[in-house]
Amino acid sequence: HLAAPCAGCHGNNGNVGAGNAVLAGMDANYFITQMLAFKDGNRPATVMHHHAKGLNVDEINLLASYFSQQKRVTNIALTPQKLKADHEN
């Protein structure tokens, strides 16, 4: 699958917890613009320019379509819980 290498940094189906861009539900045109900027070096990056340079325009378009169709999952904050020992009421 073309998007498999993306999961390492951007999470399954483009839903990353924190730190990197959430790709799921991203506008396809925005995705394409950003990937082309990585590809031609107009957008600085640590590793994305390497990934983008390995993709042709058709592959970038396919990835844009794929990620735009994924459901964005928002992280739900966990509620603190107070646990009781078996002998407490």
Side-chain angles (χ1 to χ4, degrees):
H1 189 274
L2 190 59
C6 307
C9 296
H10 295 282
N12 292 334
N13 300 320
N15 282 295
V16 69
N20 292 320
V22 174
L23 303 179
M26 183 178 281
D27 178 76
N29 289 324
Y30 179 79
F31 180 92
I32 292 165
T33 300
Q34 298 311 305
M35 289 297 289
L36 292 175
F38 286 131
K39 186 174 177 71
D40 65 19
N42 285 328
R43 180 170 177 184
T46 53
V47 297
M48 277 306 302
H49 59 285
H50 293 296
H51 293 293
K53 285 181 183 177
L55 298 169
N56 64 43
V57 174
D58 289 337
E59 291 169 327
I60 291 172
N61 288 335
L62 287 171
L63 286 169
S65 176
Y66 171 76
F67 284 120
S68 70
Q69 295 173 32
Q70 301 309 301
K71 181 175 171 60
R72 185 172 287 224
V73 178
T74 56
N75 291 334
I76 299 171
L78 299 176
T79 304
Q81 297 179 3
K82 183 176 180 180
L83 302 177
K84 292 184 179 183
D86 288 340
H87 63 276
E88 294 179 318
N89 290 327

